[in-house]
């Protein structure tokens, strides 16, 4: 609190004072945008000769960010409701495989709906078990991660399942409307739907209240059980849709799609200003957080870092993000 | 229902809520045993007792948070079940719980309208639950103004308000909805002198409006100040029920500590 770097403004406002806290919170909202600008700027300078800012590369970053962003929007609801969904990566994989098989067997609509249905079902199971059996969602979704991953591995004997459906590929990933990639369009759709749901719908407000203080929300008559189940369904359904986007872009379904995305998604959401402990969430922040994670990934590769070093760098950033979230918690 | 309109109160002195034979056990602990209480319109009833006497348990039973193991509740002479907090609210009972007063991360207007949000956007908007932010902010401002509750900014998160302001918002929520029965669990605990005075003013206003008020407190001055009658609990049982004008502060303390009993 009283580090020498804290500077003059700190000393004018005593640490912990109401106004100081207010100012910290205002800053907190913009940390993610500031971080985005800083990292973009840093890579633009460091990698100026490696084509970081080329439109092809920026498009590439956008394509990588899209599924993460969609998952992050869903995860925002889980975390805001003071739950967590560790099963998202496995849902992505199963959804991509179901999409591949059903699109091939029964066409575009059936395949898409079946894939999204995977998310709905997984979310319902997560939510019902954690709420009705009173097991923390952390444990339930950890178990589901194993179950769903196993089912996905069994589905096509660890082989990728090719999707030969032009419409599916065009709508979810490979195609574009004019110069705008369909992935970008879907990301914006997720952003707008998620933002409106959290900030402008009664349900979103009840998610915030439930996550902040479940007992108080209960005492006011909010049906917190249903809110929590809904938050976990939202998270898993968004993950399933991310699976559809990945399947569309790569034109395959595969058991390991999304497998390594869990920490990236949580980092994106937390960097975006959502509290890891519930009660505070930002959908826009989560999407920008996803862009940051994709940009880091891309920049670290262009810098020539080995996979191992990329993992270290990403891990450090996740710890920093969580540290920020904890700090915010203590101030409340 | 409207936040600003007042369908408050009935004829003063008429029983609003009558609870009889209320019992509640938590595993082996009998928190409440055969307690009866009567709240009247335009009267403030103090609920007194030491820590663990069962005061909060009784309030939670009346507020639909807990289900009593035994007992009957009538409102306006009609027997009612209160299975949920929602049911309590729709019967005209509003509660300010000791520790559950406001949601820290929501702003003042959001807190005031929590689970009673105004919606807009026609049938589709209503179906989706589209919030009418503008109307809620405007009515929040009006309601707080009417109650003379001063909050620096309605957009500020409740967690950033002072203890007195938070409590005022919680009480404002109870009052704003024109409820006829208001249960207050230690509304002035942890408040400063001036803030406490403001809360007491709010309670007097409720009384004047004909609202039936139940007030849990540890402060005997407050009982003498604003309450008409007092019910004393001790170890889950009712040990005294008195008209406040008939007793002294010392009598009340004696009832609470078990040094005397009125029945």
């Amino acid at each position: 609190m009283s580090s020498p770097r804290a500077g003059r403004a700190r000393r004018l406002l005593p640490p912990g004072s109401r106004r100081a806290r207010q100012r910290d919170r205002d800053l907190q909202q913009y940390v993610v945008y500031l971080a985005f600008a800083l990292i973009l700027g840093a890579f633009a300078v460091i990698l100026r000769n490696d084509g970081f800012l080329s439109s092809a590369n920026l498009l590439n970053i956008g394509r990588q960010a899209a599924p993460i962003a969609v998952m992050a929007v869903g995860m925002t609801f889980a975390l805001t409701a003071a739950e967590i969904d560790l099963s998202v990566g496995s849902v992505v994989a199963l959804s991509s495989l179901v999409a591949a098989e059903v699109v091939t067997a029964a066409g575009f609509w059936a395949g898409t709906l079946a894939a999204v249905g995977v998310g709905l079902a997984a979310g319902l199971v997560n939510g019902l078990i954690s709420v009705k059996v009173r097991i923390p969602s952390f444990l339930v979704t950890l178990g589901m991660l194993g179950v769903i991953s196993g089912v996905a591995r069994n589905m096509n004997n660890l082989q990728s399942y090719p999707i030969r459906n032009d419409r599916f590929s065009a709508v979810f990933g490979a195609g574009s409307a004019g110069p705008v990639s369909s992935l970008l369009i879907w990301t914006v759709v997720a952003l707008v739907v998620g933002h409106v749901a959290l900030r402008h719908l009664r349900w979103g407000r009840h998610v915030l209240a439930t996550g902040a203080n479940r007992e108080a929300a209960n005492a006011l008559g909010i049906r917190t059980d249903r809110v929590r189940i809904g938050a976990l369904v939202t998270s898993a359904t968004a993950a399933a849709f991310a699976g559809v986007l990945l399947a569309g872009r790569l034109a395959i379904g595969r058991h390991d799609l999304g497998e390594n995305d869990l920490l990236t998604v949580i980092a994106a959401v937390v960097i975006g200003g959502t509290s890891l402990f519930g009660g505070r969430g930002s959908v826009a922040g989560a999407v920008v957080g996803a862009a940051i994670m994709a940009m880091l990934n891309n920049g670290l590769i262009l810098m020539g870092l080995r996979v191992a070093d990329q993992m270290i760098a990403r891990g450090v950033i996740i710890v920093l993000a969580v540290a920020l979230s904890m700090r915010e918690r203590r101030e409340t | 229902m409207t936040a600003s309109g007042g369908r408050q109160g009935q004829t003063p002195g008429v029983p609003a809520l009558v609870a009889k034979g209320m019992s509640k056990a938590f595993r082996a602990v009998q928190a409440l045993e055969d307690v009866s209480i009567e709240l009247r319109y335009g009267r403030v009833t103090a609920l007194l007792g030491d820590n663990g006497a069962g005061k909060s348990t009784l309030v939670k039973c009346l507020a639909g948070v807990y289900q009593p193991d035994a007992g009957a509740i009538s409102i306006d002479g009609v027997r009612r079940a209160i299975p949920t907090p929602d049911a309590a609210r729709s019967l005209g009972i509003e509660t300010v719980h000791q520790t559950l007063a406001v949601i820290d991360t929501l702003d003042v207007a959001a807190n005031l309208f929590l689970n009673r949000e105004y919606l807009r956007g026609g049938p589709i908007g209503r179906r989706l639950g589209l919030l009418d932010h503008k109307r809620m902010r405007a009515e929040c401002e009006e309601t707080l103004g009417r109650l003379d509750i001063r909050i620096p900014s309605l957009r500020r998160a409740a967690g950033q308000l002072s203890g007195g302001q938070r409590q005022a918002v919680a009480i404002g929520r109870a009052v704003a909805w024109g409820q006829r029965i208001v249960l207050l669990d230690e509304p002035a605990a942890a408040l400063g002198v001036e803030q406490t005075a403001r809360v007491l003013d709010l309670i007097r206003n409720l009384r004047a409006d004909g609202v039936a008020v139940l007030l849990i407190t540890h402060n005997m001055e407050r009982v003498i100040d604003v309450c008409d009658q007092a019910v004393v609990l001790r170890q889950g049982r009712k040990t005294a029920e008195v008209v406040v004008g008939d007793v002294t502060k010392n009598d009340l303390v004696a009832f609470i500590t078990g040094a005397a009993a009125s029945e």
Side-chain angles (χ1 to χ4, degrees):
Chain A
M1 280 291 216
S2 55
S3 77
R5 282 180 297 122
R8 237 180 108 230
R10 272 272 188 220
R11 261 177 278 131
L12 288 175
L13 287 175
S17 82
R18 218 156 271 288
R19 275 175 62 206
R21 269 187 283 158
Q22 169 74 35
R23 197 204 47 215
D24 280 358
R25 182 139 314 122
D26 288 346
L27 276 179
Q28 200 105 37
Q29 286 179 353
Y30 301 107
V31 160
V32 66
Y33 304 103
L34 201 70
F36 181 82
L38 279 177
I39 294 171
L40 184 70
F43 278 139
V45 173
I46 297 168
L47 299 168
R48 60 188 173 282
N49 298 323
D50 295 291
F52 179 78
L53 284 181
S54 71
S55 58
N57 190 53
L58 290 180
L59 213 64
N60 196 22
I61 293 175
R63 273 200 290 268
Q64 283 182 350
I68 301 291
V70 171
M71 279 190 266
V73 169
M75 183 68 83
T76 300
F77 286 88
L79 290 184
T80 302
E83 304 291 329
I84 194 164
D85 186 352
L86 303 181
S87 70
V88 286
S90 62
V91 170
V92 168
L94 187 61
S95 151
S96 77
L97 278 161
V98 167
E101 294 205 1
V102 180
V103 163
T104 304
F108 174 82
W109 282 108
T112 307
L113 290 176
V116 173
V118 165
L120 276 173
L124 260 180
V125 172
N126 284 338
L128 285 171
I129 294 179
S130 80
V131 166
K132 300 293 178 198
V133 193
R134 297 186 190 206
I135 302 173
S137 53
F138 178 84
L139 292 172
V140 176
T141 58
L142 187 61
M144 282 294 278
L145 164 66
V147 172
I148 299 173
S149 293
V151 172
R153 276 167 168 72
N154 280 337
M155 249 185 99
N156 203 30
N157 288 321
L158 303 182
Q159 304 296 306
S160 39
Y161 197 115
I163 301 173
R164 297 198 183 80
N165 182 314
D166 292 343
R167 189 169 175 206
F168 187 82
S169 296
V171 173
F172 300 115
S176 56
V180 186
S181 158
S182 65
L183 283 170
L184 186 65
I185 295 171
W186 286 117
T187 305
V188 171
V189 168
L191 167 67
V192 171
V193 169
H195 178 80
V196 168
L198 190 61
R199 293 272 165 242
H200 298 286
L201 295 190
R202 180 167 50 187
W203 181 71
R205 183 157 283 182
H206 290 185
V207 170
L208 285 160
T210 301
N213 190 337
R214 195 199 302 169
E215 225 191 319
N218 236 340
L220 283 168
I222 292 175
R223 283 187 259 186
T224 54
D225 284 3
R226 280 166 63 165
V227 168
R228 290 160 63 209
I229 294 171
L232 286 169
V233 167
T234 304
S235 168
T237 306
F241 191 68
V244 169
L245 293 182
L246 272 170
R249 179 169 62 128
L250 304 171
I252 53 162
R254 204 171 61 209
H255 66 90
D256 62 351
L257 294 183
E259 205 174 51
N260 299 317
D261 289 345
L262 174 64
L263 280 185
T264 311
V265 169
I266 290 178
V269 174
V270 173
I271 291 174
T274 296
S275 166
L276 206 44
F277 309 99
R280 196 169 293 136
S282 166
V283 168
V287 171
V288 176
I292 289 177
M293 297 312 287
M295 203 161 63
L296 275 172
N297 221 10
N298 178 277
L300 294 176
I301 292 170
L302 286 185
M303 279 171 76
L305 257 64
R306 292 172 304 142
V307 174
D309 296 332
Q310 291 173 34
M311 289 169 73
I312 293 171
R314 229 176 323 162
V316 168
I317 288 157
I318 289 169
V319 171
L320 284 175
V322 174
L324 273 175
S325 165
M326 301 286 281
R327 199 172 84 104
E328 162 197 27
R329 174 77 168 182
R330 276 197 300 271
E331 282 169 354
T332 307
Chain B
M1 270 197 298
T2 154
S4 48
R7 75 163 163 81
Q8 279 171 1
Q10 312 280 320
T11 324
V14 171
L17 181 150
V18 179
K20 282 193 174 130
M22 305 289 284
S23 294
K24 176 76 183 172
F26 298 99
R27 294 175 194 270
V29 181
Q30 192 71 36
L32 211 55
E33 198 174 350
D34 193 27
V35 171
S36 298
I37 192 166
E38 199 173 82
L39 308 182
R40 294 165 181 273
Y41 288 117
R43 301 281 185 269
V44 181
T45 304
L47 183 57
L48 306 176
D50 233 329
N51 292 330
K55 307 182 299 282
S56 290
T57 305
L58 178 59
V59 165
K60 284 183 172 156
C61 286
L62 300 179
V65 177
Y66 292 159
Q67 291 313 299
D69 300 328
I73 300 169
S74 336
I75 289 159
D76 293 331
V78 182
R79 190 162 165 185
R80 303 281 192 181
I82 309 181
T84 63
D86 254 349
R89 283 176 118 182
S90 62
L91 288 169
I93 303 172
E94 191 72 33
T95 314
V96 178
H97 294 283
Q98 188 175 10
T99 51
L100 309 175
V102 293
I103 304 280
D104 282 347
T105 58
L106 294 180
D107 68 22
V108 175
N111 263 294
L112 200 70
F113 286 90
L114 197 56
N115 207 25
R116 268 183 186 141
E117 295 84 358
Y118 284 141
L119 304 177
R120 66 188 171 92
I124 298 167
R126 282 174 184 286
R127 194 69 191 258
L128 288 171
L130 193 62
L131 298 172
D132 192 342
H133 295 292
K134 230 170 145 183
R135 183 167 168 216
M136 286 192 278
R137 280 209 191 96
E139 272 200 24
C140 175
E141 203 160 339
E142 197 220 297
T143 303
L144 295 184
R146 184 163 53 87
L147 297 170
D148 201 20
I149 296 171
R150 282 180 288 264
I151 303 284
S153 162
L154 300 186
R155 293 191 185 222
R156 190 167 280 189
Q160 295 171 34
L161 301 175
S162 73
Q165 289 167 339
R166 287 154 54 92
Q167 208 55 259
V169 170
I171 295 174
R173 178 170 58 209
V175 182
W177 294 91
Q179 296 289 55
R180 299 167 300 161
I181 300 164
V182 173
L183 315 175
L184 302 167
D185 191 348
E186 292 267 19
L191 294 192
V193 175
E194 197 190 321
Q195 294 168 336
T196 302
R198 310 252 321 115
V199 168
L200 292 182
D201 281 343
L202 277 174
I203 294 173
R204 284 194 197 94
N205 290 346
L206 288 180
R207 185 179 184 280
D209 282 344
V211 176
V213 180
L214 180 70
L215 173 67
I216 292 186
T217 177
H218 280 116
N219 185 322
M220 294 311 129
E221 307 279 358
R222 225 164 274 160
V223 176
I224 304 284
D225 240 22
V226 296
C227 296
D228 301 287
Q229 50 194 34
V231 168
V232 183
L233 298 185
R234 186 170 160 72
Q235 290 166 2
R237 296 177 149 276
K238 184 164 78 175
T239 55
E241 184 164 15
V242 295
V243 174
V244 168
D246 295 350
V247 293
T248 65
K249 210 164 70 177
N250 287 341
D251 293 337
L252 290 172
V253 173
F255 291 139
I256 293 168
T257 57
S262 78
E263 289 176 328

